[in-house]
């Protein structure tokens, strides 16, 4: 994905940056994130962020991956900046597909090479 526009307070991304949407947010500041266990970050509920959209005065929670969307509003801590030369048609798989697939295959199913 490519960042189109940034809201107020965004400090680590800029329009034009190439990013991967993350299923689980990573604030990169809490104890879990700084200890290498960012999957335990409690900054936001996994997979959802409170966006700027409101309905009847209450926040509308938005999914962070936006699989079939052409545009999405995603919280800064739910995006990982990647190299601008990374092929986007392949890089996007790492946001959920590779992390879920590799985790299930290697850690749950204990698949071995060959």
């Amino acid at each position: 994905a490519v960042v189109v526009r940034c809201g107020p307070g965004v400090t680590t991304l800029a329009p034009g940056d190439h990013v991967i949407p993350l299923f689980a947010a990573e604030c990169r500041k809490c104890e879990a994130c700084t200890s290498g266990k960012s999957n335990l970050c409690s900054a936001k509920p996994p997979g959802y962020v409170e966006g700027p959209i409101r309905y009847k005065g209450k926040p509308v929670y938005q999914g962070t991956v936006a699989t079939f969307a052409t545009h999405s509003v995603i919280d800064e801590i739910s995006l990982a900046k990647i190299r601008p030369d990374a092929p986007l048609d392949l890089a996007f798989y790492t946001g959920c597909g590779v992390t879920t697939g590799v985790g299930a295959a290697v850690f749950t199913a204990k698949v071995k090479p060959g």
Side-chain angles (χ1 to χ4, degrees), residues 67-86:
T67 304
F68 297 108
T70 58
H71 289 79
S72 181
V73 177
I74 301 177
D75 194 76
E76 179 177 21
I77 67 171
S78 293
L79 293 169
K81 186 174 177 180
I82 60 172
R83 295 175 12 183
D85 63 336

Side-chain angles (χ1 to χ4, degrees), residues 1-7 13-19 70-72 79:
V2 178
V3 175
V4 175
R5 190 168 44 221
C6 296
L13 299 170
D17 283 346
H18 289 204
V19 294
T70 58
H71 289 79
S72 181
L79 293 169

Side-chain angles (χ1 to χ4, degrees), residues 41-78:
C41 178
S42 59
K44 300 281 183 181
Y48 292 92
V49 295
E50 181 182 327
I53 302 168
R54 303 245 181 243
Y55 179 72
K56 294 186 178 180
K58 295 183 180 180
V60 173
Y61 286 86
Q62 302 152 217
T64 60
V65 180
T67 304
F68 297 108
T70 58
H71 289 79
S72 181
V73 177
I74 301 177
D75 194 76
E76 179 177 21
I77 67 171
S78 293

